[in-house]
Amino acid sequence: MTAQDQVVLPRDVRIVPIDELPAAVRQRLGGEDGDFAITRPHSRTPSKVVDANAAKLLKLFEQPKTLVEAITQYCRAAKLRPLEVLEEAYPLIESCLAARLLVKPGGAATEIEASFAQGQSIGGFAVESVVQALEDSEVYRVRPPEGQMAALKISRRHAGPGIHWTLQREEKILRRLDGGVAPRFLAAGTLEDGRRHLVTEWLDGVEVQAAAARTRGRSGPRLSDELADLGAAVIEAYAVLHEQGVIHADVHPRNVLVTAGGAVRLVDFGMARLDSEPESAVPRAGVGFFFEPEYAAAVRNNTAAPPATAPGEQYAVAALVYLILTGDHYADFSFGKDEMMRQIAEAEPLPMTQRGLEGAELLEPVLRRALAKDPRERFPGMRAFAAAFREACRARETGGKIAVRQDARRRVLEWVLGELRDPGRTPGYKGPVSPTASVTYGSAGIALGLDRIARARDDEKLAALADRWAEHAATELGSPSACYAGEIEITPETVGRISPYHTPSGIPVVQALLAQARGDPLTAEQAIGRFLEWSEGECANPDLTLGRSSVVLAAALLLDAAGRPKPEALVHRGSELLEGIWSELDRAPAIGEGGPSDYLGIAHGWAGYLFAALRWRQSTKATLRPSWQERLEQLARAAQLTRRGARWAVQSGIGSDSVPGWCNGSAGHVHLWTLAHRVYGESRYLDLAVRAAHDAWEGGGAGPALCCGAAGQAYAQLVVFGATGDKQWLARAHELAERAAETAEAMRARGEDGLPYSLYKGDLGVAVLAEELEQPEWASMPLFGHEGWPEWPESGQ
């Protein structure tokens, strides 16, 4: 367009003050008081928000004008300089032209109305009724000369060549599908005026959103089996489509019909892509609410839009099913393009209870996985998504038994057991050099992990193997690499010299725990003596995993295992260390105001100091120090509350990000606040634990590991399940465990398996979790909790 070309607002364009719109629509559109919404009914263009001055300028185009004429008239009334206004207004005019909210005078400026009336003929098909009239195409219900009713789609007279290409593309796809979940192809052709049309089987049904609304109206706020089945049927329809090699690429409610018999059928394949075609074969299209994060990220980065893919469509279908179940989208989307793309790329799905839906606890983890921002974290295919959703539906119908997907975790468990079947055999893994004997990285951790699996299974042979690995750890202590490895920065300077997690002191801790479990008090007593000796060095660090608090925690675990009477030397060591730690911490400023540490997490900060103290109290019934609750209150005030979650920055006072994992994030805080609730009996602490568990669940994983990945997040869900009895947490733990296992397998397949035999950093921790989920009331983080296990046997029994 040049400044001398006339343009006009189509007659059906509406420019409306946004304060006259319903509150929900206004919230999504955004804008401020005094702004206007510009929209065109039946157009594919989303509404735009403009300010009052822009609205005045656009209204001048109600009659055909050139841009110069409109600017001149506007400036004369507003007493402004035309050149300045033209420069500012031109981007707005360009965007309205691109959206066909401004068009050249003529046919395109008329209201979008149907071209044919009832009884007229289109290519030999008699029109029965108008189904839809858009700016580029129309759909009619027609009667052929012979046979059943049919649907006829035809391009509009003034539409560009794009709609002709779309109709030819749809014909190609429908010929390939030959019915099934799609309408059966009947005919295609071109009228004398050049308009292309396509005729298909008539599907006598209603749009899925209308069908879902009727069902919700009957069942009220609680999810009905009928509605859950409808969601499952939609996913299964797309699974069938993908199995036929077709990606629909235009997922939204109007393209899913529910027939009178309850069958789900898919329509409108004009943008569909064969998975065998090159990525550039079909341009992207669709409705914004159902775009995948990969697409949104490309839009935000102003890069080429990715092609429609099976993982991307899985996300879109999950977004659609969320809408079917709740009646609303998974996020409170803005109608502003930039903000909406940010929400798609970053915003986690709102809980269904926040949408007023009850009883979806078993379905929600399945949808959340399909709505993962990282496509690698979604289901391996639409069929796997459909199977998991259907299994969750069956679980609801049978009284709430948890729907368990455990294929990947069982594979990881069996792989780990196979790799670790002989301490004398060097595993075939090739990765960075790491400590060979420590609890975190080496043989002591392997012994502890195998012992946990053996106890969960009541497997004597596996228990004997755990003992052999503990002995193997002891024999490795003469090696410089037993507990340190400079290649991965595990040195005395980084992990200290007393921590049971990283130094030789952890090996006798494991030996003592295994001996107590086997009823061997003499061996346990000797191992405890070595632990006390090897953890006696100087250490200024109060840290839970690297410093003095780690020794306190290990002593508490050993006291629990020892039964009665309690070893006096252990009680003395733990009490002495704790007094020294807190004499220093009591002199420190309030949390967030400086001091010995500005870290807040469980492994390296204030949550860890407090956890060790309260854990010692739990084991010894020691007197509660008043400062412990003062510090809990300070840490509680440092929480960043979200709609239903709570998170803490890794470090206070420096704008640090929060993370969902155990070592520095919300999963670790779950353990602290649950323990604080047990010790003090205050419900607000349990509320913080629940909020932290929500954040750990919603935060996504950073790999499979216990330390900072999905396995550690799963244990956090189990802690809240134990505290509340609410099965949604158990369902989430199962989902996170399977996600951790799938990630571990994918990493191994890519040669990125890191440290797979490490208890805290690798597949071994995932294997322990996989087995303990069979008896979730017993499960707890290795060498950390044990709160859920049955009473340990008394010495000598």
Side-chain angles (χ1 to χ4, degrees), residues 405-575:
R405 295 184 311 107
Q406 53 180 345
D407 291 346
R409 78 181 84 155
R410 302 312 296 183
R411 289 194 300 268
V412 168
L413 175 57
E414 295 309 315
W415 180 85
V416 165
L417 293 178
E419 289 287 296
L420 303 178
R421 63 184 180 274
D422 182 2
R425 170 181 169 270
T426 302
Y429 145 75
K430 296 178 181 178
V433 174
S434 60
T436 60
S438 70
V439 168
T440 297
Y441 291 100
S443 300
I446 292 172
L448 184 61
L450 292 176
D451 179 64
R452 297 292 291 263
I453 297 170
R455 293 177 63 192
R457 290 184 173 187
D458 195 18
D459 187 328
E460 293 182 2
K461 290 184 178 180
L462 199 52
L465 179 61
D467 289 334
R468 289 172 59 198
W469 274 102
E471 294 168 5
H472 185 69
T475 65
E476 293 181 292
L477 282 177
S479 167
S481 62
C483 294
Y484 299 108
E487 185 173 332
I488 57 172
E489 300 183 357
I490 302 300
T491 66
E493 291 71 33
T494 57
V495 299
R497 298 181 182 276
I498 67 171
S499 165
Y501 292 98
H502 291 283
T503 76
S505 72
I507 294 171
V509 171
V510 172
Q511 290 174 322
L513 292 174
L514 269 58
Q516 287 291 357
R518 314 290 184 262
D520 184 356
L522 179 60
T523 299
E525 182 180 352
Q526 294 170 341
I528 288 171
R530 291 192 296 276
F531 162 66
L532 292 170
E533 178 185 352
W534 295 351
S535 62
E536 199 172 8
E538 288 295 323
C539 179
N541 191 349
D543 196 284
L544 181 68
T545 59
L546 306 179
R548 288 172 286 167
S549 291
S550 67
V551 178
V552 174
L553 178 58
L557 298 176
L558 289 170
L559 286 174
D560 290 346
R564 298 285 189 273
K566 301 291 186 186
E568 290 294 331
L570 270 178
V571 176
H572 177 74
R573 170 62 62 79
S575 299

Side-chain angles (χ1 to χ4, degrees), residues 288 291-301 315 330-349 373 643 647:
F291 284 142
E292 71 273 24
E294 305 91 276
Y295 179 91
V299 172
R300 296 181 74 201
N301 295 330
Y315 187 97
Y330 67 85
D332 290 327
F333 286 118
S334 167
F335 280 176
K337 180 179 178 181
D338 292 343
E339 174 60 14
M340 186 178 191
M341 292 299 111
R342 186 202 66 78
Q343 289 174 299
I344 294 169
E346 299 177 1
E348 292 296 328
K373 300 303 179 184
R643 279 191 177 92
R647 61 183 62 154

Side-chain angles (χ1 to χ4, degrees), residues 7 14 17 537 640 757:
V7 292
R14 303 289 182 262
Q640 303 166 13
Y757 310 119

Side-chain angles (χ1 to χ4, degrees), residues 1 27 93 120 356 531 614 629 686:
M1 168 192 161
Q27 180 181 3
I93 301 300
Q120 289 185 283
F531 162 66
L614 298 182
Q629 193 160 23
L686 182 59

